[in-house]
Amino acid sequence: MNVTVFGTGYVGLVQGTILAEVGHQVVCVDVDAEKIGKLEQGIIPIYEPGLETLVKENHAAGRLSFTTDAAMAVAHGDIQFIAVGTPPDEDGSADLQYVLKVAETIAEHMAAPRIIVNKSTVPVGTADRVRARVAEVLAARAGAEQEGEALTFDVVSNPEFLKEGSAVADCQKPDRIIIGTERDASVEVLRELYAPFNRNHDKVIVMDVRSAELTKYAANCMLATKISFMNEMANLAERLGADIEAVRQGIGSDPRIGYHFIYPGVGYGGSCFPKDVQALIRAADDIAYDAKVLKAVEARNATQKTTLLDKIHQHYKGELAGKTFALWGLAFKPNTDDMREAPSRVLMEALWEAGARVQAYDPEAMEEAQRLYGSRDDLTLCGTKETALKGADALVIVTEWQSFRAPDFTLIQQQLAEPTLFDGRNLFVPSRMASKGFTYYSVGRRPV
């Protein structure tokens, strides 16, 4: 099938590449000429495991191409994906200007019926706005041209459920395929499009457009709620003398709860959870509904991002000026270079404000950190995790990269001024850290 994807970010580039991988002819279009030029050369703008190889292979095979030519892209695809960003506006609501601009672009150039598929995460009712915008442009065109039959189109909600760091696998083996439309013909076209990913059992769930739009927000907000709830329990456990890791195993064994997203830590970040929780809160405010649970989730997460800083202040009795901290992990989660809303940023900026220095290392996010913060005297970006330790007063772990799970503890003790470790991801067992001679702070457990 011929497919066009507007947007070459995490969603558009991954979805377009995986559709090309199974044989569809895919054109990815973006307004950023520099990004398109790099993609043509096989240079990927994001870090996502497995993506680079697939982009290069499918581009070389002629199934995947990149362009800034919107007219060509609209002419190519019977199916037009909108996969552009919906950044938070100043009030927390989703900014739909890019989505609506793509809708206008499709309407300006379409010369045959099209199915417009909204892949971007958008508030309930966005499909109606896209449909109205397309109809408005088409009506203006018909009035000016005064010829030809009216062009038909459908606007479908088809939300993505990709996790950064495993987006390729999630796209290749989706656990569900949500199709929001009331047109049977559109359902059949999308069933054909997704047939290669729907062989073992039927993963397609058809519903009305507004329910599909809400499903995306509900899913992310539910996961964010689990994280914030577990962090709330961790804070209680710490004060009650309990061990949150034991509690986690105890509740995770209940199949109604499960083990996913109940790991305590320093809060969630990234491009999805913070933005989507805020957007749904704003949508609720717009209809005069007080979304108390969502507001509590957001408040708990904001506070949780300071939990390591609180422990550091307590340990050093608030005297942080002149201290140097080795920081392992800058990305908001492993297997990505994304630092949007990352807990590491909250921590580093607070340490700098207190007069401390940071020596940071992350396996993938070093260039992003350089882009965000540039050159500054109180930040040293190190080439290895070992280099970050040298001369530091303490080690702080913010992101649970695999390479941090079994470090050389003897080397850590030798390099640090004192064997002090603040673990924001509970990577180590407190009793073992005690036996190794560390002062050790974690989340939801008694300090050593």
Side-chain angles (χ1 to χ4, degrees), residues 17-83:
T17 301
I18 298 307
L19 288 173
E21 173 70 7
V22 297
H24 298 304
Q25 294 292 322
V26 180
V27 171
C28 291
V29 58
D30 203 292
V31 296
D32 189 336
E34 182 180 358
K35 180 189 285 188
I36 291 298
K38 288 182 177 180
L39 285 168
E40 288 281 357
Q41 301 171 45
I43 301 172
I44 311 301
I46 57 175
Y47 174 74
E48 186 63 40
L51 181 60
E52 182 175 352
T53 299
L54 290 173
V55 168
K56 290 179 178 178
E57 289 177 351
N58 284 281
H59 183 257
R63 293 187 298 270
L64 178 65
S65 60
F66 305 98
T67 186
T68 58
D69 186 343
M72 182 276 283
V74 174
H76 168 80
D78 300 310
I79 303 170
Q80 304 274 317
F81 277 96
I82 301 178

Side-chain angles (χ1 to χ4, degrees), residues 52 55 119 161 232 268 318 339 400 429:
E52 182 175 352
V55 168
K119 204 75 177 174
F161 298 97
E232 187 92 315
Y268 57 76
M339 289 182 63
E400 64 276 32
V429 178

Side-chain angles (χ1 to χ4, degrees), residues 10 22 77 80 87 110 142 187 205 214 236 243-244 338 369 387 429 444:
Y10 275 100
V22 297
Q80 304 274 317
M110 62 184 282
V187 173
I205 303 174
L214 183 56
L236 274 174
D243 184 333
I244 193 60
D338 195 344
T387 306
V429 178

Side-chain angles (χ1 to χ4, degrees), residues 352-428:
W352 294 332
E353 187 176 350
R357 295 185 69 258
V358 174
Q359 297 175 174
Y361 168 76
D362 187 281
E364 294 296 338
M366 303 300 279
E367 288 186 12
E368 180 64 5
Q370 181 69 50
R371 185 188 71 82
L372 289 170
Y373 294 112
S375 298
R376 47 187 301 154
D377 294 337
D378 48 12
L379 173 63
T380 302
L381 297 174
C382 304
T384 65
K385 63 180 186 290
E386 291 80 12
T387 306
L389 298 168
K390 192 171 183 180
D393 291 281
L395 168 62
V396 186
I397 299 178
V398 184
T399 312
E400 64 276 32
W401 285 91
Q402 281 292 111
S403 59
F404 299 163
R405 294 180 180 274
D408 184 338
F409 289 107
T410 300
L411 178 65
I412 293 174
Q413 288 177 319
Q414 291 171 348
Q415 295 295 319
L416 295 179
E418 295 179 355
T420 303
L421 200 160
F422 298 88
D423 181 1
R425 298 297 178 179
N426 290 2
L427 298 187
F428 312 120

